[in-house]
């Protein structure tokens, strides 16, 4: 079945006549920003709350929340569970950026065009603020059982914890750290990214799906979509790191090359990396088709966005 | 009801003839160490797994796991849920120590008589390892629903996330950081400790209780026990920081005074602090009596341990 998809990728241009992807995204981004603003850093001790809000609000593409909401919509998941999951996964992403930017890690001073959290608030607040954001992610997933059924809460926490931890995002970052100055094989590079960025992108889709009760084959198809999208995201990131400037990117470009970090571009060359990103888009769209779900237009639009983005 | 307890504290010496507190503790500690060893840092990328295991294994009093297990025993909670909760709360405690010891926080080089994690493994591994331990805590709480019912999983995650976050432990640490060099009132000091250390100790008892379905008045009585024990723990910590030496304490003593951090001893004096710890012990024991539970002997023994400990 997998090989059939790979050899005969169907054509899934977004059905713009029926579905306005920009309008959908606008509405979902608004919901997400409002929810994050209502939930993050509220009632936290002053400096800590400020650092948490600075790290999360008014910035970021919100790709992970959009994936959660699109996946939840495709399976008609519970809206309250979906918006909580959308915010929770974004908090994990945001805390990882805060910690990753710190002097003992990447020592980055610019993020989304603004000073990084430790530059703005000091290292201790960046450390604590990141820690508090991770805890808040799980707090958002566990409201009273009147708001979200316990079985959904447990599933969401399970998916997110696995994706964030040593066998997910944190593990990928550890491999990334250990790989500086080394020549990774393509397989090793893939493994590192499948943990460092892939795990959380895949979790986003899985959490959206977990907002409903869905047959295993549908889950599996959407998981294939998420895997392809996760790799595509990283390939495009590597391409942009080479071709974009700081103003477009909102962060320091060329950083990976300067740090001697291996990338898809350094391994395959720029043209092959671009072409690979398009192949992955087709795989993602084929998986959506395979799911048999009626309404995958938002998921489809997000896959296109990931590959065509300029920052 | 609260004032009645305070004015007529009953005498609850541990019933050593019927219950061997040391034997109970020995068995529970063994269970905890075995479980932690089986769960922590396994299948993590090499350096990260080593840092995680170093941070958690072969060290620590395991007070929080013992509180979970004692509370679970008092309400006849599910054993699988209890051992997972016991380990999860210890992972949150352990990660907080790793991050707290880092140069940008307390800059401590000695912990439990060993080099701290960032000294042993470098700052980036300490940061990542701590992050991964927090994620692992929530992963342990969310196994398959065949092992622990979803409703218990959700409750455990809810309690732990709230206790670990900005309105719990992380918030208390932020207040602590902001209070260096300031003269706190007793009320401010209490508030700081109620978050920084109290929240997780209270969560330990609450998580043990959440392993069973328990009437609200019983929950409330055990919550009062936990609150008194949490304050007592900090008062005794402050006393030991003044009177103990590094060999007994396993960390640098006199550090709080050197950092001009306010303590119960600096506020009330040494004798009054010691006497206050004993009052709190009596409050904790009275709350246990109040719970009406049959078997509170382990909880009683832990309260005595907290007040009489030498490190």
């Amino acid at each position: 079945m997998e090989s059939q998809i790979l050899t005969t990728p169907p054509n899934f241009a977004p059905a713009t006549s029926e579905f306005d992807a920009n309008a959908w995204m606008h509405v979902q981004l608004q919901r997400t920003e409002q929810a994050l603003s209502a939930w993050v850093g509220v009632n936290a001790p002053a400096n800590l709350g400020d650092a948490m809000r600075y790290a999360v609000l008014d910035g970021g593409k919100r790709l992970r929340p959009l994936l959660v909401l699109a996946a939840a919509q495709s399976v008609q998941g519970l809206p309250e569970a979906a918006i909580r999951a959308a915010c929770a996964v974004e908090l994990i992403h945001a805390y990882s950026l805060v910690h990753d930017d710190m002097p003992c890690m990447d020592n980055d001073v610019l993020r989304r065009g603004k000073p990084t959290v430790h530059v703005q608030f000091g290292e201790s607040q960046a450390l604590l603020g990141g820690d508090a954001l991770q805890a808040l992610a799980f707090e958002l997933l566990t409201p009273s059982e009147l708001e979200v059924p316990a079985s959904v809460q447990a599933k969401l926490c399970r998916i997110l914890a696995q994706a964030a931890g040593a066998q997910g995002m944190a593990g990928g970052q550890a491999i990334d750290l250990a790989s500086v100055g080394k020549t990774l094989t393509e397989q090793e590079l893939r493994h590192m990214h499948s943990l460092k960025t892939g795990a959380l992108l895949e979790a986003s889709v899985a959490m959206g799906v977990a907002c409903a009760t869905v047959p295993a084959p549908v889950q599996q198809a959407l998981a294939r979509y998420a895997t392809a999208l996760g790799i595509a995201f990283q390939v495009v990131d590597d391409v942009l790191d080479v071709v974009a400037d700081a103003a477009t990117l909102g962060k320091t470009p060329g950083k990976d090359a300067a740090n001697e970090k291996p990338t898809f571009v350094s391994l395959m060359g720029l043209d092959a990396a671009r072409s690979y990103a398009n192949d992955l888009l087709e795989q993602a769209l084929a998986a959506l088709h395979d799911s048999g779900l009626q309404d995958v237009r938002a998921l489809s639009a997000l896959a296109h966005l990931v590959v065509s983005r300029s920052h």
Side-chain angles (χ1 to χ4, degrees), chain A residues 11-19 21 281 285 297-298 300-302 304-305:
Chain A
N11 178 20
F12 282 98
T16 43
S17 58
E18 301 163 319
F19 176 72
L281 172 61
L285 299 177
R297 295 169 301 180
S300 167
L302 290 173
H304 281 93
L305 182 75

Side-chain angles (χ1 to χ4, degrees), chain A residues 12-102:
Chain A
F12 282 98
T16 43
S17 58
E18 301 163 319
F19 176 72
D20 183 339
N22 285 334
W24 179 86
M25 234 169 273
H26 182 74
V27 169
Q28 303 308 322
L29 284 172
Q30 240 177 0
R31 281 181 71 201
T32 305
E33 297 302 328
Q34 279 171 3
L36 287 171
S37 182
W39 279 328
V40 176
V42 177
N43 294 329
N47 286 343
L48 186 65
D50 292 344
M52 292 168 74
R53 292 177 73 81
Y54 183 88
V56 174
L57 303 180
D58 303 321
K61 295 177 284 289
R62 310 301 191 206
L63 172 61
R64 293 157 193 80
L66 290 173
L67 281 171
V68 175
L69 296 170
Q73 180 172 310
S74 75
V75 298
Q76 300 179 291
L78 299 168
E80 179 70 19
I83 190 66
R84 287 176 175 276
C87 292
V89 74
E90 185 69 6
L91 295 188
I92 295 292
H93 174 57
Y95 109 72
S96 79
L97 298 182
V98 173
H99 283 184
D100 209 34
D101 286 337
M102 286 179 69

Side-chain angles (χ1 to χ4, degrees), chain A residues 100-298:
Chain A
D100 209 34
D101 286 337
M102 286 179 69
C104 69
M105 300 284 285
D106 284 355
N107 196 19
D108 245 316
V109 297
L110 190 65
R111 165 79 60 189
R112 295 168 184 165
K114 296 190 303 181
T116 47
V117 176
H118 68 275
V119 170
Q120 190 76 11
F121 292 90
E123 282 185 55
S124 54
Q125 293 296 333
L127 180 58
L128 273 181
D131 290 344
L133 288 174
Q134 179 164 204
L136 181 58
F138 293 97
E139 203 177 333
L140 290 188
L141 296 181
T142 51
S144 92
E145 295 183 22
L146 298 174
E147 291 175 273
V148 177
S151 61
V152 175
Q153 295 187 26
K155 266 195 280 182
L156 293 173
C157 286
R158 183 178 309 131
I159 296 166
L160 189 61
Q162 286 176 5
Q167 291 169 65
M169 185 184 73
Q173 286 179 301
I175 297 174
D176 192 17
L177 272 180
S179 73
V180 172
K182 284 189 189 166
T183 308
L184 294 195
T185 64
E186 188 176 320
Q187 201 186 352
E188 289 167 332
L189 183 72
R190 280 170 181 284
H191 178 60
M192 187 265 280
H193 285 310
S194 74
L195 300 180
K196 191 183 173 195
T197 53
L200 210 55
L201 292 169
E202 290 175 32
S204 302
V205 174
M207 289 170 81
V209 173
C211 295
T213 303
V214 173
V218 176
Q219 284 180 38
Q220 287 153 10
L222 291 185
R224 288 203 302 280
Y225 159 87
T227 301
L229 180 135
I231 304 169
F233 181 84
Q234 190 57 50
V235 173
V236 172
D237 229 38
D238 288 352
V239 169
L240 291 174
D241 192 60
V242 173
V243 302
D245 59 24
T248 313
L249 216 53
K251 61 183 176 182
T252 317
K255 185 121 187 157
D256 289 341
N259 285 344
E260 293 182 40
K261 286 188 181 178
T263 72
F264 282 102
V265 174
S266 69
L267 277 175
M268 3 172 96
L270 188 57
D271 287 345
R274 279 177 161 147
S275 152
Y276 182 43
N278 284 316
D279 291 349
L280 288 163
L281 172 61
E282 288 185 352
Q283 287 177 34
L285 299 177
L288 289 185
H289 177 71
D290 242 35
S291 73
L293 290 168
Q294 292 293 309
D295 183 5
V296 293
R297 295 169 301 180

